[in-house]
Amino acid sequence: MSTPAPVRGAERIRRALLGSYPLIYVQSWEESRVERALAVLAQKYYERPVPFAVWTCVDGWPGLGDAPADTRGPLRALDVMLQAPGPGFFLMKDLPALLADRPDVVRKLRDAYRLMKGKGKFLVMVSPRLLLPEDMKKEVFLVDYDLPDEAEVRNAISILGKRYLGEGGLSSADADRIVTALRGQTLDELEHVFSKVFARTPRFDETTFDELLAEKEQSSRKEGVLEYVPPRVTLDDIGGLDNLKDWLRKRQNLFTREAVEAGLPVPKGLLMMGMSGCGKSLSVKTIPALWNLPLFRLDMNLVFGTSNPEASFHRALKTTEALAPAVLWIDEIEMAITGGREAGGGDPALGRIFSTFLTWMQEKEALVFVAATANRIHLLPAEFIRKGRFDQVFFVDLPNETERKAIFAVHLRKQKADLSKFDAVFLAKATKGYNGAEIESIVQAAAIDAFNEKRPLDEDDVSRVITNTVALSRTMDDQIKAIKSWAHNRAISASRESAT
Ligand SMILES: Nc1ncnc2c1ncn2[C@@H]1O[C@H](COP(=O)(O)OP(=O)(O)O)[C@@H](O)[C@H]1O
Ligand SMILES: [Mg+2]
């Protein structure tokens, strides 16, 4: 299966023009990029250059030669645009935000549509959000202006590298790392991130790379419901879950051009379900470093916090496609099905969100890998887990003894403890029924005790804390049995041996 080349934003605008829609709405975060694209079109679209003007609610139409002095009001501005002679391109930046409570402006625009049609005059509105009143949808042509693709990002990074790091710029290996890490940013943001990091320290090394990641994290948070998750966790940070690790390792090169060209199937998705605190979310966080793909977490709480969850959800899926190849992480996906409530049903929007998601999973052509996790698995409908939707469904159980040993090792290492001083078998036996998160807290509490007594962490500290804690699983034995029997035929175990 070959993936069709996505149609780039500028090309979509050109197509809209060929279809001669006089009113065009560009949904984009990047006003300045849209502006440049239009300036170019104004130069080339007709046999000779035609006027191009930009309106804002603060400055009106400063570029329009014989316009009256004050064109800040939208009605006046539209009149001026309509009266301008001949063909031309008119970008109105703040117009979308005004439409909601200005029926007069909506009326004017609808009339303008008829007056402009076939005259070679185009009015373009731009906004990151879709703020189009229902009754205008017929007249307005909507363009989804994608984020820059890989080639555009690579090109921008090579230019920025020369600007900030001198003539040689970035080595191609370094540029590759940056492209992977920063894809999903707009060009404006790329420039901003580069200037922030490299103006201070004009060299590329692990420290500045980390700063780039931190900056990107910061800026992608603003974008709403998708959060960029930097590649900071590796498989070595997970104790146990060997089946799952193998699965991930075997697929680490499937998103490369070579694999796609060789016709290998591109993985669609992975569902991990089971006990909480056992490393499901942690496992997802290892994918970006292992597969060398950017990871975006879709926060369902934020989705349900927006005024139109369905639209935000859909928009987030579309955005990830524009960022492909990428990994989309939907943590606690049962939220998408129940809206976070124990008893599902009732709200039709929830059903629609869920079916939107299933259809998208089925039809998506872009290289987006979905990594989903679920804790309350009894809330997942059977059709969701049905074979074929996800490449694999893993059941993540409480760690068995071998795994608890490995988890202790991971967290003791994090506390810089000398592992040879610990009897890992004893610790593992003493923590039957504890999950990974609990083992982590035990080690941390022990480390704090030792620190306060100004001595290195030792085994006694750890076993004392173990004696004083009760594993959550003790209090929910029945629930755990139910989860296990439910998962038995539906998923394979993420661990190599069964739990003890
Ligand atoms: N198998 C594990 N190996 C190492 N640490 C673990 C493991 N499982 C859980 N932890 C620790 O507990 C924290 C919470 O685990 P998480 O992955 O969020 O659990 P969940 O399965 O609920 O998504 C992790 O960030 C990690 O520090
Ligand atoms: Mg989790």
Side-chain angles (χ1 to χ4, degrees):
M1 180 195 77
S2 73
T3 313
V7 182
R8 305 314 312 168
E11 175 59 19
R12 293 224 192 105
I13 295 181
R14 214 180 59 83
R15 285 191 190 175
L17 298 173
L18 290 175
S20 40
Y21 297 90
L23 302 182
I24 298 170
Y25 191 111
V26 182
Q27 194 172 352
S28 168
W29 283 287
E30 289 186 283
E31 259 180 16
S32 56
R33 198 157 148 250
V34 173
E35 189 172 334
R36 283 195 299 274
L38 287 171
V40 170
L41 282 167
Q43 287 295 314
K44 296 205 211 144
Y45 186 67
Y46 295 98
E47 293 193 332
R48 54 202 161 72
V50 299
F52 168 56
V54 180
W55 179 86
T56 71
C57 63
V58 175
D59 295 328
W61 290 117
L64 270 188
D66 40 5
D70 187 353
T71 53
R72 289 174 298 178
L75 290 180
R76 184 98 183 259
L78 286 168
D79 271 332
V80 168
M81 190 247 343
L82 288 170
Q83 280 151 23
F89 293 86
F90 301 87
L91 174 64
M92 294 185 79
K93 286 182 172 172
D94 306 311
L95 202 55
L98 294 168
L99 297 177
D101 30 56
R102 289 290 299 267
D104 53 340
V105 178
V106 172
R107 178 76 260 159
K108 186 93 195 166
L109 271 170
R110 298 182 67 184
D111 293 343
Y113 172 83
R114 273 186 300 281
L115 295 171
M116 291 163 75
K117 204 158 166 50
K119 304 272 163 57
K121 224 180 231 178
F122 298 96
L123 168 61
V124 179
M125 297 166 257
V126 59
S127 166
R129 282 164 300 155
L130 186 54
L131 303 165
L132 208 51
E134 200 54 41
D135 43 0
M136 282 203 69
K137 288 200 171 143
K138 276 215 190 72
E139 283 104 359
V140 175
F141 188 82
L142 185 63
V143 176
D144 205 343
Y145 201 95
D146 281 347
L147 290 164
D149 65 13
E150 188 166 340
E152 286 174 280
V153 172
R154 190 172 295 277
N155 185 37
I157 282 174
S158 127
I159 293 169
L160 291 166
K162 290 209 180 85
R163 186 189 306 164
Y164 288 100
L165 304 172
E167 247 324 284
L170 290 154
S171 77
S172 89
D174 293 343
D176 278 352
R177 277 183 82 191
I178 300 183
V179 170
T180 307
L182 297 191
R183 207 172 37 202
Q185 307 259 157
T186 63
L187 295 179
D188 289 346
E189 282 164 344
L190 274 181
E191 194 165 341
H192 175 75
V193 166
F194 259 70
S195 73
K196 250 185 124 166
V197 172
F198 293 118
R200 272 199 306 261
T201 325
R203 60 164 191 277
F204 180 78
D205 56 20
E206 288 313 305
T207 316
T208 45
F209 183 61
D210 236 43
E211 281 171 30
L212 284 176
L213 293 179
E215 283 298 331
K216 165 154 181 182
E217 215 174 338
Q218 188 84 34
S219 71
S220 65
R221 222 171 258 146
K222 291 193 295 258
E223 279 172 19
V225 299
L226 283 175
E227 179 197 355
Y228 170 75
V229 183
R232 291 204 170 112
V233 180
T234 72
L235 289 182
D236 296 336
D237 297 311
I238 307 176
L241 307 184
D242 288 327
N243 280 348
L244 172 60
K245 282 182 187 163
D246 274 357
W247 194 92
L248 292 173
R249 259 193 223 106
K250 278 193 190 141
R251 281 157 187 78
Q252 63 179 310
N253 292 318
L254 287 184
F255 282 89
T256 56
R257 179 161 310 158
E258 294 76 30
V260 173
E261 277 169 7
L264 289 168
V266 177
K268 286 182 293 203
L270 167 70
L271 172 63
M272 281 170 276
M273 53 187 198
M275 311 303 299
S276 76
C278 290
K280 295 184 297 298
S281 303
L282 185 68
S283 303
V284 177
K285 290 185 215 156
T286 65
I287 301 178
L290 189 65
W291 290 5
N292 201 17
L293 293 177
L295 171 66
F296 297 91
R297 191 171 89 96
L298 179 59
D299 190 330
M300 289 311 296
N301 284 309
L302 292 180
V303 169
F304 286 111
T306 59
S307 60
N308 186 346
E310 214 180 325
S312 327
F313 187 69
H314 190 244
R315 175 89 194 128
L317 297 181
K318 286 282 151 204
T319 306
T320 344
E321 282 186 3
L323 305 176
V327 182
L328 175 65
W329 173 16
I330 309 184
D331 207 23
E332 304 189 10
I333 196 163
E334 64 269 28
M335 280 279 292
I337 300 160
T338 65
R341 285 185 301 273
E342 253 332 275
D347 186 348
L350 283 174
R352 283 200 301 274
I353 286 184
F354 184 57
S355 57
T356 304
F357 177 70
L358 292 184
T359 316
W360 177 81
M361 274 286 286
Q362 213 83 52
E363 292 173 357
K364 74 184 160 68
E365 302 224 7
L367 303 181
V368 176
F369 180 82
V370 177
T373 72
N375 287 342
R376 291 162 298 165
I377 59 185
H378 59 283
L379 297 177
L380 298 178
E383 65 193 284
F384 186 66
I385 304 165
R386 208 183 60 203
K387 269 235 154 314
R389 241 187 249 299
F390 290 96
D391 297 276
Q392 191 60 271
V393 180
F394 281 108
F395 175 59
V396 178
D397 204 344
L398 286 169
N400 61 38
E401 189 180 314
T402 321
E403 293 182 310
R404 293 195 298 276
K405 247 168 65 185
I407 298 173
F408 267 112
V410 166
H411 293 289
L412 286 170
R413 247 184 273 127
K414 282 206 180 139
Q415 301 301 332
K416 313 229 170 357
D418 178 357
L419 288 189
S420 66
K421 303 238 158 66
F422 292 81
D423 180 353
V425 175
F426 165 75
L427 292 176
K429 283 200 192 301
T431 45
K432 184 163 191 265
Y434 288 69
N435 67 26
E438 287 167 333
I439 295 178
E440 179 186 26
S441 319
I442 287 170
V443 173
Q444 286 174 345
I448 292 172
D449 290 346
F451 177 79
N452 283 330
E453 293 173 21
K454 302 198 169 46
R455 51 180 180 71
L457 173 63
D458 66 22
E459 195 180 303
D460 283 343
D461 295 313
V462 180
S463 51
R464 214 175 318 117
V465 179
I466 294 175
T467 327
N468 293 329
T469 29
V470 178
L472 188 64
S473 69
R474 284 269 185 82
T475 61
M476 40 188 280
D477 221 19
D478 289 347
Q479 239 168 305
I480 289 174
K481 284 206 189 91
I483 291 178
K484 279 192 194 170
S485 74
W486 193 94
H488 185 66
N489 291 320
R490 295 178 168 99
I492 70 164
S493 170
S495 311
R496 183 129 323 135
E497 314 155 42
S498 64
T500 50

